[in-house]
C-alpha cells in the first residue's frame, strides 16, 4: 500500500488501520527496530511474534508515540502519527505490558478519566458495557490495589476500549495470567474482531497467536523476517508428522509429510505393507514449529 | 467475555462522533488533578493548615511582640498575608509536581501520551489543578490567621483590595504550579525532585518576604531580595489584604505576569522534551 499524503499528513488511502513504513528505532548504539514495514487489514488480528528483545514493544511504543522513531513513518487510519498525532491517536486503544496502579482512583473513575482524555465526557453507557463485557462491573467501586491480577489486566483492556478504537494494540496481554483468564481474553479478542476492530497483538505464546491471528509478522533482532498468513506459515515451514504403528512391532515409526504429500504417497514412497499397519496418527504442524524454523534456523 | 450485556446497541456505535477533543481532555485531567488532592486532604489541606498555625504561634505571637512594623500594623498582621501566599504557592507547586512524579512512578503518565491530548491541554489542566489547591490552602490559612488575629490581638483583618488579591493569587498559583510541572517532567529521580525543593523552592520561599519587610534590609541585601520573584507575589498579596506593601502593586503585577509567561514557556519546553515512560 502506498502512503501518498496530502498537506495535512493524511494518506489518500485511508483503508489500512495501520501502516508501518521503513521504521527504525535506535537507543543510542542499539538498533531496536531496523527498517520494519508492514500493514494491517481492517478487521484482522495481526500477531507480532519474536523472542525477548526482538523489538515488538519498541514498534508499539512508536505507534502510540511513547517513543519517537529514528526514521520511517507510521500511519493510523491514514493519519501520520508524527505529523497528526491527535487524529491518529483517537483511533487507537493501547494495552501496555505492565500493570498501572492509579493509586487514588477506583475503576469507574479511571474509565471516566480515560473517556474524557478521548473527548468523551458522557460515556457512561459505553463504559458500563465494557465493564460488563470484561466482568468488572461489580468491581467498579474498587481501587486498583483491591483488584486481582487478572482484573487489573482486564482493566487495562477496558481503558483501551472506552473510546471504541478502530485499532487495538495488545502488548503481551496474557503474560503472567492463568489459563482460564487467557482463554477468556482470547474469546474477547475474537468478539472484538467480529465487531470490526483491528487488533495488533504481541505475544510469547505461539499457541495464542495460532488461535487468534489471521496473519503474523515474525521479528528478530529488530528485523521483520516475514509477514504471512498464519496458515501459510504453518503449511510452508512445517510438515505433518505421521506415526505408524505396525502389528507385532512395539515401537512405532515416525515419518514427516511434506506440503501436498498424502498418506498414500508416504506408503508408496516408504513401501509400507498396508496389511501390517495397526494404527496411523497424524499430527499437524504448529506455528511454533514454523516460528522455530524461521527464527532459529 | 460476559454475555449478560444489556446495551448491545452501543457496541458498534461510533462514539467518536460525540467527542470533544477541545474541552474533554482538559476537563477530565483537571477533574482528576482536583479529585487527587481532595482524596488525600489530610495530607494536602490539613497539614499545610497546621504548618500555618505553627508559624503564627512561633513567629506571630512569640517573636512578633519584639518586632515593630511600619504603617502601624502588628507583626502578626504583617505575617498573615505572607503565610497565605506561601501556602498557596507551595501547595500549587507540590500539587503539580507530586501528581506528575506519582504518575511517572505508577505508569499512568503513559495514559496522557497515548491519548489525543495536546501539551497545552496538559499544562493548563495541571496548572489549574495546582491553583485550585493553592487557593483552598491559601483561603484556609487566611481564615485561620484572621480568627487567630481576632482572638490574640482583637483585630479584624479585612481585605482592602480584593481584586489585587485575586490577581496575585491567580498569577502566583499558576506560576508555581507550572514550575512544579516543569520540575517534575525534568526530574529523572526522586532525588532530583527533592533537590529542586530544597535548593530552589525553599530558599525562594523563605527569602521571599513572608517573615520580613525588605525595607528593613541593608541596601545590598535589598537589591538581592528584589531579584526574587516571590517578593512581588507576596507583597502583592500583602497589598491586597492589608493595603500596605514594599513594592507598588503595578510593579509587582508586571513582574508576576512576566514570571507567569516564563514559567509557561519553561513548562511547555520541558514537557515537549520529556519522556512519559514510567520510571
Amino acid at each position: 500500500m502506498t502512503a501518498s499524503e496530502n498537506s495535512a499528513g493524511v494518506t489518500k488511502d485511508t483503508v489500512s488501520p495501520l501502516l508501518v513504513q521503513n521504521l527504525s528505532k535506535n537507543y543510542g548504539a542499539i538498533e531496536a527496530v531496523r527498517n520494519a514495514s508492514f500493514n494491517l487489514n481492517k478487521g484482522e488480528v495481526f500477531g507480532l511474534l519474536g523472542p525477548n528483545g526482538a523489538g515488538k514493544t519498541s514498534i508499539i511504543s512508536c505507534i502510540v508515540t511513547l517513543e519517537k522513531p529514528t526514521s520511517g513513518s507510521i500511519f493510523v487510519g491514514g493519519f501520520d502519527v508524527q505529523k497528526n498525532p491527535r487524529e491518529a491517536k483517537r483511533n487507537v486503544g493501547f494495552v501496555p505490558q505492565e500493570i498501572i496502579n492509579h493509586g487514588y482512583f477506583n475503576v469507574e473513575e479511571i474509565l471516566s478519566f480515560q473517556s474524557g482524555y478521548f473527548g468523551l465526557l458522557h460515556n457512561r453507557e459505553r463504559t458500563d458495557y465494557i465493564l460488563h463485557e470484561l466482568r468488572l462491573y461489580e468491581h467498579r467501586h474498587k481501587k486498583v490495589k483491591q483488584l486481582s491480577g487478572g482484573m487489573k489486566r482486564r482493566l487495562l483492556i477496558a481503558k483501551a476500549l472506552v473510546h471504541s478504537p478502530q485499532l487495538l494494540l495488545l502488548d503481551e496481554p496474557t503474560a503472567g495470567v492463568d489459563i482460564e483468564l487467557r482463554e477468556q481474553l482470547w474469546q474477547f479478542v475474537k468478539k472484538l474482531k467480529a465487531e470490526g476492530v483491528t487488533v495488533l497483538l504481541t505475544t510469547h505464546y505461539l499457541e495464542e497467536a495460532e488461535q487468534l491471528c489471521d496473519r503474523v509478522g515474525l521479528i528478530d533482532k529488530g528485523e521483520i523476517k516475514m509477514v504471512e498468513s498464519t496458515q501459510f506459515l504453518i503449511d510452508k515451514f512445517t510438515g505433518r508428522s505421521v506415526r505408524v504403528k505396525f502389528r507385532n512391532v512395539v515401537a512405532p515409526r515416525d515419518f514427516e509429510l511434506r506440503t501436498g504429500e498424502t498418506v498414500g504417497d508416504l506408503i508408496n514412497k516408504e513401501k509400507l505393507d498396508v496389511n501390517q499397519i495397526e494404527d496411523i496418527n497424524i499430527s499437524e504442524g504448529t506455528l511454533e514449529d514454523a516460528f522455530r524454523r524461521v527464527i532459529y534456523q | 467475555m460476559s454475555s449478560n450485556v444489556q446495551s448491545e446497541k452501543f457496541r458498534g456505535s461510533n462514539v467518536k462522533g460525540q467527542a470533544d477533543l477541545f474541552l474533554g481532555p482538559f476537563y477530565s485531567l483537571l477533574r482528576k488533578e482536583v479529585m487527587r488532592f481532595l482524596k488525600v486532604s489530610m495530607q494536602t489541606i490539613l497539614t499545610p493548615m497546621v504548618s500555618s498555625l505553627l508559624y503564627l504561634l512561633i513567629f506571630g505571637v512569640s517573636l512578633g511582640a519584639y518586632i515593630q512594623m511600619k504603617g502601624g500594623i502588628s507583626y502578626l498582621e504583617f505575617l498573615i498575608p505572607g503565610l497565605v501566599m506561601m501556602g498557596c504557592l507551595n501547595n500549587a507547586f507540590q500539587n503539580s509536581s507530586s501528581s506528575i512524579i506519582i504518575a511517572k512512578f505508577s505508569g499512568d503518565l503513559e495514559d496522557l501520551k497515548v491519548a489525543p491530548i495536546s501539551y497545552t491541554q496538559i499544562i493548563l489542566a495541571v496548572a489549574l489543578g495546582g491553583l485550585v489547591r493553592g487557593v483552598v490552602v491559601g483561603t484556609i490559612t487566611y481564615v485561620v490567621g484572621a480568627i487567630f488575629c481576632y482572638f490574640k490581638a482583637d483585630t479584624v483583618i479585612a481585605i482592602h483590595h480584593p481584586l489585587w488579591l485575586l490577581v496575585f493569587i491567580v498569577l502566583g498559583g499558576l506560576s508555581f504550579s507550572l514550575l512544579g510541572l516543569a520540575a517534575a517532567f525534568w526530574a529523572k529521580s526522586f532525588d532530583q525532585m527533592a533537590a529542586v525543593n530544597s535548593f530552589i523552592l525553599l530558599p525562594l520561599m523563605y527569602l521571599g518576604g513572608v517573615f520580613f519587610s525588605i525595607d528593613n534590609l541593608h541596601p545590598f541585601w535589598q537589591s538581592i531580595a528584589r531579584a526574587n520573584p516571590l517578593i512581588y507575589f507576596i507583597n502583592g498579596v500583602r497589598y491586597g489584604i492589608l493595603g500596605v506593601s514594599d513594592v507598588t502593586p503595578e510593579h509587582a503585577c508586571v513582574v508576576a505576569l512576566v514570571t507567569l509567561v516564563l514559567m509557561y514557556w519553561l513548562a511547555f519546553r520541558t514537557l515537549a522534551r520529556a519522556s512519559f515512560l514510567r520510571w
Side-chain angles (χ1 to χ4, degrees):
Chain A
M1 179 179 141
T2 307
S4 52
E5 296 171 56
N6 64 22
S7 58
V10 180
T11 55
K12 286 176 185 172
D13 185 351
T14 55
V15 173
S16 179
L18 176 68
L19 170 63
V20 176
Q21 283 186 319
N22 308 114
L23 177 71
S24 293
K25 175 64 190 172
N26 300 347
Y27 299 98
I30 299 166
E31 276 187 303
V33 181
R34 197 183 316 158
N35 209 28
S37 296
F38 60 93
N39 78 305
L40 268 60
N41 301 317
K42 188 167 169 47
E44 77 171 339
V45 179
F46 184 94
L48 200 52
L49 314 178
N52 280 333
K56 305 182 295 290
T57 299
S58 292
I59 290 176
I60 287 195
S61 296
C62 288
I63 296 169
V64 294
T65 72
L66 278 170
E67 298 282 2
K68 194 175 178 186
T70 305
S71 63
S73 46
I74 299 166
F75 298 87
V76 172
F79 292 102
D80 188 324
V81 299
Q82 292 299 313
K83 293 178 182 167
N84 209 338
R86 293 184 76 196
E87 282 304 321
K89 285 191 271 189
R90 69 190 295 192
N91 292 316
V92 180
F94 170 52
V95 180
Q97 235 180 82
E98 292 185 55
I99 301 293
I100 294 174
N101 191 352
H102 296 286
Y104 307 100
F105 302 107
N106 65 34
V107 168
E108 201 169 54
E109 288 165 342
I110 290 164
L111 294 185
S112 168
F113 297 140
Q114 189 72 15
S115 295
Y117 295 163
F118 285 84
L120 301 165
L121 293 174
H122 307 287
N123 199 27
R124 188 61 181 265
E125 201 173 353
R126 170 73 183 172
T127 52
D128 280 356
Y129 166 73
I130 303 266
L131 286 171
H132 279 296
E133 279 292 287
L134 289 162
R135 298 200 305 187
L136 286 170
Y137 190 78
E138 56 273 34
H139 306 288
R140 67 191 183 282
H141 299 305
K142 288 182 182 171
K143 291 178 182 173
V144 175
K145 67 181 176 188
Q146 296 171 300
L147 301 176
S148 68
M151 289 177 200
K152 287 176 185 168
R153 201 154 280 282
R154 279 182 272 157
L155 175 60
L156 292 180
I157 297 174
K159 281 172 61 188
L161 290 172
V162 288
H163 58 293
S164 307
Q166 292 166 15
L167 173 65
L168 180 65
L169 308 175
L170 298 165
D171 194 3
E172 306 210 11
T174 53
V177 304
D178 62 31
I179 293 169
E180 188 190 356
L181 175 61
R182 194 181 306 168
E183 284 179 356
Q184 286 169 0
L185 288 172
W186 291 358
Q187 292 307 314
F188 191 58
V189 169
K190 284 175 183 169
K191 193 168 183 182
L192 288 171
K193 174 181 156 68
E195 291 172 12
V197 177
T198 308
V199 179
L200 171 61
L201 168 82
T202 74
T203 180
H204 279 128
Y205 301 110
L206 295 169
E207 184 199 350
E208 177 170 285
E210 190 175 333
Q211 280 222 15
L212 294 175
C213 298
D214 302 300
R215 289 192 305 145
V216 293
L218 303 184
I219 181 170
D220 188 33
K221 298 184 180 81
E223 248 180 287
I224 301 264
K225 300 285 186 189
M226 196 169 287
V227 175
E228 289 292 352
S229 79
T230 310
Q231 196 54 51
F232 178 85
L233 274 177
I234 293 170
D235 290 346
K236 183 169 180 184
F237 291 100
T238 67
R240 287 180 295 168
S241 58
V242 180
R243 172 163 287 190
V244 182
K245 172 126 179 46
F246 295 94
R247 286 195 178 94
N248 306 320
V249 179
V250 176
R253 284 183 66 190
D254 291 325
F255 303 93
E256 188 168 314
L257 283 180
R258 295 286 171 196
T259 307
E261 203 175 17
T262 64
V263 176
D265 296 336
L266 177 76
I267 290 169
N268 289 333
K269 189 172 76 178
E270 298 291 334
K271 298 187 174 56
L272 303 178
D273 183 353
V274 178
N275 295 322
Q276 291 302 311
I277 293 176
E278 189 178 280
D279 191 21
I280 297 179
N281 192 334
I282 303 174
S283 302
E284 298 293 329
T286 64
L287 183 60
E288 187 165 342
D289 299 331
F291 178 84
R292 285 179 195 283
R293 190 158 288 184
V294 173
I295 298 293
Y296 297 120
Q297 291 177 13
Chain B
M1 295 169 84
S2 154
S3 58
N4 57 344
V5 180
Q6 303 304 312
S7 52
E8 289 289 321
K9 67 184 176 70
F10 212 68
R11 184 172 56 190
S13 68
N14 182 9
V15 291
K16 286 190 284 294
Q18 310 154 6
D20 178 359
L21 284 184
F22 180 68
L23 273 179
F26 164 76
Y27 174 74
S28 277
L29 186 53
L30 172 60
R31 188 168 143 252
K32 183 183 173 190
E33 289 296 304
V34 173
M35 281 175 72
R36 191 190 69 82
F37 81 75
L38 289 177
K39 278 178 185 270
V40 281
S41 54
M42 181 74 83
Q43 176 193 335
T44 56
I45 296 172
L46 288 180
T47 304
M49 196 178 88
V50 172
S51 301
S52 297
L53 262 173
L54 287 173
Y55 281 126
L56 286 169
L57 272 172
I58 296 164
F59 293 102
V61 178
S62 302
L63 301 175
Y66 306 101
I67 302 171
Q68 292 296 313
M69 304 306 299
K70 68 176 184 182
I73 57 169
S74 68
Y75 185 68
L76 186 59
E77 289 172 86
F78 175 86
L79 192 59
I80 288 169
L83 290 178
V84 167
M85 195 50 167
M86 188 168 85
C88 172
L89 299 183
N90 194 29
N91 279 277
F93 179 93
Q94 298 301 342
N95 199 66
S96 53
S97 61
S98 57
S99 172
I100 301 297
I101 291 288
I102 291 168
K104 275 185 173 182
F105 190 69
S106 66
D108 63 343
L109 196 61
E110 290 183 3
D111 287 348
L112 294 183
K113 187 65 174 174
V114 304
I117 311 180
S118 67
Y119 290 153
T120 304
Q121 285 171 323
I122 294 174
I123 289 171
L124 292 181
V126 174
L128 269 176
L131 173 64
V132 172
R133 176 166 153 192
V135 168
V136 170
V137 171
T139 305
I140 291 173
T141 306
Y142 171 76
V143 171
V144 169
I147 293 169
F148 199 87
C149 202
Y150 179 76
F151 284 106
K152 173 71 186 139
D154 210 14
T155 309
V156 175
I157 297 190
I159 295 173
H160 283 68
H161 304 288
L163 275 180
W164 276 120
L165 176 62
L166 184 67
V167 165
F168 285 108
I169 288 281
V170 169
L171 292 178
L174 286 177
S175 295
F176 272 69
S177 201
L178 290 169
L179 179 63
L181 181 145
F185 269 108
W186 166 81
K188 291 184 173 54
S189 65
F190 287 111
D191 272 357
Q192 287 185 342
M193 195 61 230
V196 173
N197 260 311
S198 304
F199 300 120
I200 297 176
L201 189 67
L202 283 179
L204 283 176
M205 290 279 179
Y206 286 107
L207 301 174
V210 176
F211 302 102
F212 59 86
S213 164
I214 54 172
D215 288 348
N216 295 339
L217 298 176
H218 182 278
F220 171 76
W221 292 112
Q222 273 193 29
S223 58
I224 297 286
R226 284 179 192 280
N228 180 355
L230 259 79
I231 286 284
Y232 304 92
F233 287 118
I234 287 168
N235 275 284
V237 167
R238 190 166 284 137
Y239 181 80
I241 294 178
L242 300 177
V244 295
S245 166
D246 291 341
V247 290
T248 65
E250 294 81 7
H251 183 186
C253 187
V254 170
V255 175
L257 274 171
V258 170
T259 306
L260 177 62
V261 171
L262 278 175
M263 289 300 118
Y264 182 85
W265 173 81
L266 182 67
F268 195 93
R269 189 178 160 84
T270 313
L271 187 54
R273 295 171 175 210
S275 168
F276 285 66
L277 294 170
R278 79 162 67 198
W279 278 352

